[in-house]
Amino acid sequence: MKRSALIVLAVAALIVVIGAASSLFTVHQTQQVIVLQFGDPKRVISEPGLNFKIPFIQNVETLDKRILNYDGPAEEIIAADQKRLVVDTFTRYKIVDPLRFFISVQTQAVAETRLGPIVNSSLRRVLGEVPLSSVLTDERPALMAQITNLVGQQTANLGIEVVDVRIKRADLPSENSQAIFRRMQREREREAAEFRAQGAEQAQRIRATADRERVVITAQAQRDSQILRGEGDALRNKVFAEAYGQDPDFFAFYRAMLAYENTLAKEDTSMVLSPDSEFFRYFQNFESVLFPGRAAQQ
């Protein structure tokens, strides 16, 4: 084969390769593609796979088919009770109509530029009709659903579907937070002072009641003890009288033994008495006392 023929063949093969590379394109499963011809949309391809286009005339615009996140800036909102609140949100959306999306905004960046003010106005509209406490309580999910619905209605012509709008943070402005903190601190201090005063009053009342009961109980105990002591003394005197009536000598002896025991129990006891003292009469002649019959025989 001649050299010129080889060159022609190589050029033709190169043209075929370039043409094939320019006409073939793939669509990933996470993407959707718009085929443009001189900027004019011709068709939309949403299914993944290998596709063809007219080389050098048509081009493709790729859009994401997954759920996208838009994290907007924090906005200061005034609630229905005129309380100021800093709300930070994020929005999840997806492109459901690629052709309308391309015609309306063309790119994701432009779409989010349009989406930001819509989310902001919806936030102000919904949160501006409820008090601050509603945003900070269990009513928040219902409020987010209202915001999502409003944003969805206003973005339907952009070819997107708003999945949800979430409030990820809702705080008071820093100056309000300080004022509220100081007010809450004063309220807690006032409540603490009230509790301390109530506690002191109750303590004083309980202490007075306890003192009164102590006096009553002590008086009753003294009364009962005196009654019991009187009854005991009467019983003791009765027993002594009966014992004395049965055997006066033994009773005198028993009383003397008790006196000895109580008096001489301690080792350091010292007594100075006359030897013929009546206190020691049983020491002097105890046999005649204990055994009067034997003493008479002697």
Side-chain angles (χ1 to χ4, degrees):
M1 184 176 294
K2 296 183 178 180
R3 184 177 180 182
S4 58
L6 292 175
I7 295 173
V8 172
L9 184 58
V11 172
L14 181 61
I15 292 174
V16 170
V17 171
I18 294 176
S22 301
S23 61
L24 294 175
F25 64 95
T26 58
V27 178
H28 194 266
Q29 59 184 357
T30 61
Q31 297 174 338
Q32 48 194 348
V33 170
I34 301 176
V35 179
L36 304 174
Q37 183 171 334
F38 301 114
D40 186 18
K42 291 299 182 181
R43 56 192 174 104
V44 176
I45 303 174
S46 299
E47 297 299 327
L50 184 63
N51 294 272
F52 298 92
K53 65 180 180 63
I54 301 175
F56 310 112
I57 296 177
Q58 293 182 337
N59 64 304
V60 296
E61 188 70 28
T62 303
L63 301 175
D64 207 318
K65 198 163 61 174
R66 298 171 295 183
I67 295 178
L68 304 173
N69 291 328
Y70 167 65
D71 192 354
E75 299 288 345
E76 185 171 309
I77 307 295
I78 299 177
D81 52 1
Q82 302 304 312
K83 300 290 180 57
R84 299 166 60 194
L85 188 67
V86 177
V87 180
D88 195 0
T89 63
F90 70 91
T91 304
R92 298 196 305 161
Y93 69 97
K94 61 181 179 180
I95 302 171
V96 295
D97 189 342
L99 185 58
R100 183 181 295 274
F101 180 85
F102 181 77
I103 294 173
S104 302
V105 293
Q106 291 193 350
T107 65
Q108 182 178 337
V110 177
E112 294 181 353
T113 302
R114 299 274 299 275
L115 186 60
I118 295 175
V119 172
N120 186 13
S121 63
S122 300
L123 272 176
R124 296 181 184 280
R125 179 177 175 183
V126 174
L127 300 185
E129 297 177 351
V130 297
L132 172 63
S133 57
S134 299
V135 184
L136 305 178
T137 59
D138 296 338
E139 298 181 28
R140 179 185 291 190
L143 298 176
M144 289 190 296
Q146 294 182 27
I147 296 170
T148 301
N149 187 34
L150 282 177
V151 175
Q153 293 175 1
Q154 298 177 65
T155 56
N157 59 349
L158 301 181
I160 64 175
E161 177 186 353
V162 177
V163 178
D164 58 7
V165 178
R166 294 284 180 177
I167 298 176
K168 63 180 180 181
R169 186 171 62 89
D171 295 329
L172 295 171
S174 57
E175 60 273 16
N176 289 13
S177 299
Q178 294 298 326
I180 292 176
F181 174 75
R182 288 192 295 271
R183 187 182 63 187
M184 293 175 65
Q185 184 179 19
R186 289 194 296 270
E187 291 179 353
R188 299 293 89 78
E189 291 176 350
R190 181 182 56 78
E191 291 178 355
E194 291 181 359
F195 288 146
R196 281 195 292 268
Q198 294 175 0
E201 181 182 358
Q202 293 181 1
Q204 186 176 4
R205 187 183 305 114
I206 293 172
R207 191 176 296 109
T209 302
D211 291 341
R212 183 173 62 256
E213 291 179 352
R214 178 178 58 83
V215 172
V216 173
I217 293 173
T218 302
Q220 292 176 350
Q222 290 177 351
R223 183 198 59 190
D224 295 341
S225 66
Q226 290 176 358
I227 292 173
L228 293 174
R229 187 177 296 108
E231 293 176 354
D233 291 341
L235 181 61
R236 182 196 60 184
N237 294 334
K238 180 181 178 182
V239 171
F240 283 164
E242 291 177 355
Y244 183 77
Q246 292 178 0
D247 191 345
D249 293 336
F250 179 76
F251 181 76
F253 174 74
Y254 174 73
R255 294 294 303 270
M257 291 300 105
L258 291 177
Y260 292 156
E261 182 180 6
N262 294 331
T263 306
L264 304 175
K266 298 181 180 178
E267 296 180 354
D268 57 347
T269 301
S270 297
M271 299 183 65
V272 179
L273 296 173
S274 173
D276 56 352
S277 174
E278 183 65 20
F279 187 74
F280 294 114
R281 65 186 181 93
Y282 291 106
F283 288 92
Q284 296 172 359
N285 191 15
F286 71 92
E287 187 174 357
S288 61
V289 175
L290 296 179
F291 307 102
R294 186 183 302 173
Q297 292 175 1
Q298 293 176 355

